[in-house]
Amino acid sequence: MAGSMHKGNIAIIGAAETDSVTVQPDMSQLELHAQAAQRALSDAGLKPSDVDGIATTAIPFEVAHHLGIKARWLDGTMVGGCSYMLHVRHAAAAIASGAAEVVLVTHGESGRSRNGVGPYGASPQSLTGQFEAPFGATTPYSIFTVPAMAYMKKYGLDRSDLAEVVVAQREYAVNNPRAMRRKPVTVDEILADSTVAYPFNKDMICVVTDAGGALVVTSAERAKDMPNADKAVYLLGSGESHEATLMSQMEDLTSFEGFRRASQEAFATAGVTHEEIDHLMCYDAFAHLPLYMMEDLGFVKPGEAAAFHKDGETRPGGRLPTNTSGGGLSYTHSGMYGMFAILEAVRQLRGEAFVQQPNVKTSFVQGVGFFFGAAGSLVLSNQQP
Amino acid sequence: MATGLVPSPTPETAPFWEGTKAHELRIQQCNSCGKFYFYPRSHCRYCNSTDVEWKTVSGKGTLASYVINNRPTPPFDKETPIIVALIQLDEGPRMMSNIVGVEAKPENLELDAPVTVDWEDRGDQVIPVFRFAEGA
Ligand SMILES: [Zn+2]
């Protein structure tokens, strides 16, 4: 097959998560990959022998061999939590150019139980080991959070604006039986809790879970002959970009160039406008991320994302339902959350979400990786243009 | 001496860490375009010139942003909150550091307030930290 990797020529035809996406102390990280992969293949009506391409944040041939796959195309792109957006994008390019036909994208992470996981932390000779870690910036909550005060000062915001993001997303999680945090919560309750890393309270920081997820990607042409052809989700457009590994080198502390560039390319390749987006997934490891993303993606003007949340526009029934699973803040966050943002978009587009929003035809998924380091964007639709 | 992670220099960053031992903040300036840049490398990040030179800078800057890490992980002392700060140096570059000399409370941490460099022994290295400038 040759042709465009975008505009609906490539489809996600299988999608699945592990049995649970919260706490799984009896499974290793590799088995989380495997279980999700087997479920996604079964969803697509395929066997491991049907797969000829593998993309994952783990060692790709380890996952392939573990599953009995003989791949002719391997992608080990590892740029943190948005790697899976890049995997889908790269798989689309590979399929469009004939380098692969059926690509399996897998995520598995024992982020909570830490089974079969390598040691955490930067080498003291790495850039982060020399120029960030010695200053106590050693954990996501002490690195990713650092620009937020500058952002809030610029737009006259305070911590209640971060709490509003949590409250909005919790509305979805309350009705999602698979979510980690399901208790309704108010702004006052969040602010009354002690701060893990000021200005961030616990609820403004993602959950820590054990979870896996997987996708099967193929050509739209081939997808038409598969058992769940009517559930195909088409890739309309995509983009990827980056800034630096060091937080201090972010050009503008109030806006991430990676979001701006990746999303612009995704909109341009998809040929859709913001008005045509019915549903949004914003990778939310921390409560300030949906604010940065909505602005950098152009859904609202700079400084307006907090009011957009406060006004209920992202909540169930709002103008732009966002992070409808509950997101990383409430649903699941095994470490590299991007897979679960894509999977929720697929569920909404299939009409199978736990908190299904009406009339979702086109979804925008924005990922981020290694803090404000890398970015990946996908525009997905349940209709082929 | 405060406990914490100890940086380990590479050949390219060694002059920076030799500077901190002499209580001097040394960063590189490009002789082609005149810009200072951080972190250390063999070429200018703005114009790609390799005609670059180490300079001892003023050690003055402002507090660009911060987070109060109330849950430091070992080998940092778990009981002592750390003010993780981004410092905008007067010469242009931004670097990560700590604010010291004040209690770790938001009311003590005014954004854009002037700061000056100070030094903290850490293992076999010296790390640059910052204090609010006197009289500011
Ligand atoms: Zn230059």
Side-chain angles (χ1 to χ4, degrees):
Chain A
M1 184 215 164
S4 171
M5 61 185 270
H6 291 128
K7 302 271 183 358
N9 289 325
I10 306 295
I12 295 171
I13 195 67
E17 292 175 350
T18 43
D19 287 337
S20 158
V21 291
T22 57
V23 185
Q24 302 185 85
D26 301 329
M27 287 179 77
S28 72
Q29 188 153 292
L30 185 55
E31 280 299 323
L32 291 167
H33 278 271
Q35 190 191 79
Q38 283 158 340
R39 286 168 146 246
L41 285 172
S42 150
D43 180 59
L46 295 173
K47 302 181 298 299
S49 55
D50 297 316
V51 176
D52 67 348
I54 181 93
T56 182
T57 43
I59 300 167
F61 60 84
E62 183 172 65
V63 174
H65 188 265
H66 192 73
L67 291 162
I69 290 166
K70 289 185 187 293
R72 65 180 177 115
W73 181 85
L74 298 91
D75 179 5
T77 298
M78 172 50 184
V79 293
C82 64
S83 299
Y84 312 99
M85 286 76 176
L86 275 65
H87 292 151
V88 169
R89 173 173 156 81
H90 299 172
I95 294 163
S97 64
E101 269 187 59
V102 177
V103 174
L104 178 66
V105 183
T106 73
H107 163 80
E109 198 160 1
S110 181
R112 188 179 187 87
S113 301
R114 314 288 302 166
N115 286 325
V117 182
Y120 187 84
S123 149
Q125 273 205 319
S126 66
L127 293 175
T128 45
Q130 291 186 69
F131 300 112
E132 296 204 334
F135 305 103
T138 55
T139 48
Y141 57 78
S142 55
I143 304 172
F144 214 162
T145 52
V146 187
M149 287 298 290
Y151 173 85
M152 293 197 294
K153 179 178 178 183
K154 179 172 181 181
Y155 296 118
L157 306 176
D158 60 36
R159 294 162 62 240
S160 71
D161 293 296
L162 297 177
E164 288 283 358
V165 175
V166 180
V167 171
Q169 293 186 197
R170 189 65 61 84
E171 273 197 32
Y172 293 103
V174 164
N175 293 311
N176 184 345
R178 283 171 63 80
M180 184 84 176
R181 287 179 180 151
R182 298 192 58 203
K183 206 165 78 72
V185 69
T186 66
V187 168
D188 288 343
E189 283 165 359
I190 293 166
L191 295 180
D193 197 8
S194 64
T195 60
V196 175
Y198 183 93
F200 290 79
N201 299 70
K202 186 177 153 227
D203 282 294
M204 301 171 187
I205 300 175
C206 64
V207 295
V208 180
T209 59
D210 306 318
L215 300 164
V216 181
V217 184
T218 191
S219 66
E221 201 181 315
R222 178 132 183 219
K224 283 191 171 62
D225 301 324
M226 291 191 180
N228 58 353
D230 58 328
K231 288 183 184 173
V233 166
Y234 301 96
L235 180 67
L236 300 189
S238 68
E240 62 190 89
S241 190
H242 68 95
E243 277 199 52
T245 52
L246 292 181
M247 189 57 75
S248 67
Q249 299 309 295
M250 190 179 184
E251 195 67 31
D252 174 353
L253 295 177
T254 68
S255 169
F256 179 38
E257 188 184 0
F259 293 158
R260 299 197 305 271
R261 291 179 54 195
S263 66
Q264 276 166 19
E265 184 161 351
F267 274 114
T269 50
V272 302
T273 63
H274 289 73
E275 289 68 34
E276 291 172 83
I277 303 297
D278 311 306
H279 172 253
L280 177 63
M281 292 303 291
C282 289
Y283 190 122
D284 57 324
F286 294 88
H288 61 316
L289 294 180
L291 303 179
Y292 278 71
M293 282 181 194
M294 264 184 203
E295 295 171 10
D296 288 337
L297 271 49
F299 285 101
V300 295
K301 293 195 180 76
E304 291 183 354
F308 194 74
H309 275 83
K310 206 168 184 169
D311 294 346
E313 302 292 12
T314 66
R315 298 188 190 198
R319 203 146 38 108
L320 185 61
T322 301
N323 292 344
T324 49
S325 59
L329 295 176
S330 294
Y331 178 61
T332 188
H333 195 291
S334 47
M336 293 183 285
Y337 164 78
M339 173 59 78
F340 302 99
I342 302 170
L343 285 164
E344 171 63 11
V346 169
R347 285 192 294 266
Q348 290 286 346
L349 291 164
R350 285 177 167 190
E352 295 175 349
F354 301 104
V355 186
Q356 181 65 43
Q357 296 304 293
N359 310 315
V360 179
K361 183 185 147 198
T362 309
S363 176
F364 196 104
V365 189
Q366 181 62 50
V368 68
F370 289 140
F371 316 124
F372 285 115
S377 314
L378 301 176
V379 184
L380 302 171
S381 178
N382 53 20
Q383 288 169 44
Q384 204 178 8
Chain B
M1 185 194 298
T3 61
L5 289 167
V6 182
S8 180
T10 59
E12 294 76 24
T13 67
F16 177 86
W17 295 110
E18 283 158 16
T20 60
K21 283 181 181 170
H23 289 193
E24 287 185 359
L25 192 62
R26 296 176 190 163
I27 60 175
Q28 289 163 298
Q29 185 178 23
C30 173
N31 286 326
S32 297
C33 73
K35 286 183 177 161
F36 285 91
Y37 64 89
F38 182 83
Y39 52 94
R41 73 201 82 173
S42 60
H43 59 276
C44 171
R45 66 165 288 198
Y46 298 101
C47 74
N48 204 36
S49 168
T50 52
D51 182 11
V52 299
E53 201 174 325
W54 284 95
K55 297 278 177 69
T56 298
V57 295
S58 66
K60 293 187 191 338
T62 54
L63 175 60
S65 200
Y66 71 88
V67 73
I68 301 173
N69 182 0
N70 287 314
R71 293 198 193 162
T73 50
F76 292 94
D77 176 21
K78 282 160 69 176
E79 307 301 321
T80 309
I82 300 169
I83 304 164
V84 179
L86 292 175
I87 306 298
Q88 190 72 51
L89 297 175
D90 285 357
E91 289 80 5
R94 197 192 298 120
M95 63 184 289
M96 189 175 276
S97 183
N98 295 132
I99 294 290
V100 299
V102 294
E103 206 181 331
K105 288 185 170 169
E107 54 268 35
N108 294 337
L109 298 166
E110 193 193 332
L111 289 192
D112 303 321
V115 293
T116 51
V117 75
D118 199 354
W119 309 100
E120 189 177 298
D121 292 340
R122 178 72 61 77
D124 59 350
Q125 300 290 337
V126 175
I127 64 166
V129 295
F130 286 80
R131 300 177 177 275
F132 286 109
E134 276 174 39

